[in-house]
Amino acid sequence: MITIQGVSTIHGEQTNLYIPSKEEKIISAEGLIVLPAVIDPHVHFRTPGLEYKEDWRTGAKAAIRGGCTMVFDMPNTKPPTFTAMLLEEKKALIDLQLKEVGISLRYDLFFGADKQHLNEISRVKHSVIGIKVFMGCSTGNLVIDDDESLHAVFSIAAKENMLVAVHAEDEHLIRKRKANFSGKMDYPVHSSIRNIEVATTAVAKAIELTRRYGTRLYILHVSSAEEVTLIKKAKREGLPVFAETTPHHLFFDTSAYETLGGRAVVNPPLRDKSNHEALFAAIHDKTIDTIGSDHAPHTLDEKSKIYGECPSGMPGIEFMLPLLLNAYHQKRLSLEQIVLLTSGRARDIFNIPAYDDCVLVDLNKIVTITKTESKCGWTPYAGQTLQGWPIHTILNGRCYSF
Ligand code: DOR
Ligand code: ZN
């Protein structure tokens, strides 16, 4: 049994908690606040094939540090997760890696929609958390850029009662705009090529497909005011549409290219600061349901390459909760909103059964970020001083303390 003494709830009540465990442990938690452990619905832990960027040993450590005990991993690996067999092989590799570090991180996997493998979708309906559709190319080769395949995915998903998660950037528009900007090799051009219209075109299309087939739709990494407007309207209509944003779209804007260079390159790209207000407002009015780290590590060597060769993505899982707690101190979010964003809504949307995992945070602890558990060895948040940090993460009856 793990006994947690004198911890506060987010409403300020002191309480003791008793968590079933093989360990006998007493934690004096005066001054700490208990939150449900973070569920991160969007990570790229890179197994199989890209483990030089990240693997589940290091990814799990970064997760636990960030108060997170459950992740949903994306299929754009090498090879991509687009057959039932590749899915089983991936799970076996993950289990092996988690066993090596003795962390029983909870996880589920997204299945990759691929034109050549549409018939595999029904085969995995009970073994995945949903289907991931890249409507525009990102890291890897997974993309669905023709209407026929898109309709097929939404229709199969509706029939099998599977959720579809979309990377909503329109591939045709990206290609067209890339040609317009050819020759420009500075990192900020990334935000101009993949502009907000690229995102809204795809979001509108995905919502239209949901309207037609009734498919449950999860819109990943919402980054702009215009996407929020479309999603709000879809929700008002009563469509089963859910929305995620990310820490980098909430806390970085296009000015980050000046300090981070290629490390600021992500898909969808960073936007002008004017979008922050709309994203926070969308959290307040529940248009945005969840936050996903979109933890997408690449090596520093890769991120130092010139524009065009520099891969998109940045790590984020470890600092997502501290960034949100820091935003609480800035009065931009309440603790209730943080709980909904980091676990409550994900639990409902993805039908996750209850378990006892929690994270005990010290709202007063102030730390300047200098290092990370991620295998890529860097974080875009280095040098930032944040107030509010996990002190103990409890996963499946085991306590990890920092
Ligand atoms: O920036 C991104 N990185 N966006 C994605 O869609 C993929 C991700 C990755 O896997 O690197
Ligand atoms: Zn992603």
Side-chain angles (χ1 to χ4, degrees), residues 137-150:
C137 276
S138 195
T139 301
N141 306 321
L142 275 177
V143 67
I144 299 266
D145 55 4
D146 66 295
D147 282 352
E148 195 184 332
S149 310
L150 256 188

Side-chain angles (χ1 to χ4, degrees), residues 42 44 74 132 221 294:
H42 188 164
H44 301 261
M74 290 299 167
K132 168 79 180 270
H221 38 50
D294 197 0

Side-chain angles (χ1 to χ4, degrees), residues 338-349:
I338 292 175
V339 169
L340 284 174
L341 273 179
T342 57
S343 64
R345 292 297 296 137
R347 199 168 277 293
D348 297 340
I349 295 165

Side-chain angles (χ1 to χ4, degrees), residues 27-185:
I27 301 172
S28 4
E30 285 83 13
L32 303 183
I33 289 190
V34 61
L35 307 174
V38 173
I39 297 169
D40 188 342
H42 188 164
V43 305
H44 301 261
F45 278 1
R46 305 301 193 202
T47 290
L50 298 167
E51 283 108 333
Y52 69 94
K53 298 175 196 267
E54 187 75 285
D55 62 40
W56 285 73
R57 303 173 196 90
T58 43
K61 286 184 189 165
I64 295 291
R65 269 261 166 192
C68 168
T69 65
M70 179 175 230
V71 298
F72 303 156
D73 188 63
M74 290 299 167
N76 57 332
T77 45
K78 214 170 156 185
T81 318
F82 54 24
T83 69
M85 187 143 94
L86 286 166
L87 180 75
E88 288 319 307
E89 286 170 10
K90 177 170 175 175
K91 283 187 177 170
L93 286 171
I94 292 171
D95 291 344
L96 217 59
Q97 291 180 18
L98 289 178
K99 202 164 166 197
E100 272 177 50
V101 285
I103 303 177
S104 55
L105 191 72
R106 300 175 198 271
Y107 72 88
D108 226 312
L109 303 179
F110 276 103
F111 192 67
D114 178 70
K115 285 174 229 182
Q116 315 299 331
H117 300 92
L118 292 177
N119 57 341
E120 294 278 332
I121 294 176
S122 299
R123 301 180 62 191
V124 299
K125 64 178 170 190
H126 297 306
S127 340
V128 296
I129 198 75
I131 306 162
K132 168 79 180 270
V133 176
F134 283 91
M135 297 174 78
C137 276
S138 195
T139 301
N141 306 321
L142 275 177
V143 67
I144 299 266
D145 55 4
D146 66 295
D147 282 352
E148 195 184 332
S149 310
L150 256 188
H151 277 260
V153 173
F154 274 73
S155 150
I156 298 168
K159 189 171 123 248
E160 304 291 10
N161 195 21
M162 296 169 84
L163 172 144
V164 169
V166 286
H167 178 119
E169 288 190 290
D170 185 82
E171 181 60 18
H172 301 280
L173 213 44
I174 295 170
R175 280 199 213 136
K176 204 169 106 193
R177 294 184 61 78
K178 232 182 221 164
N180 293 347
F181 286 92
S182 71
K184 279 202 125 196
M185 295 305 269

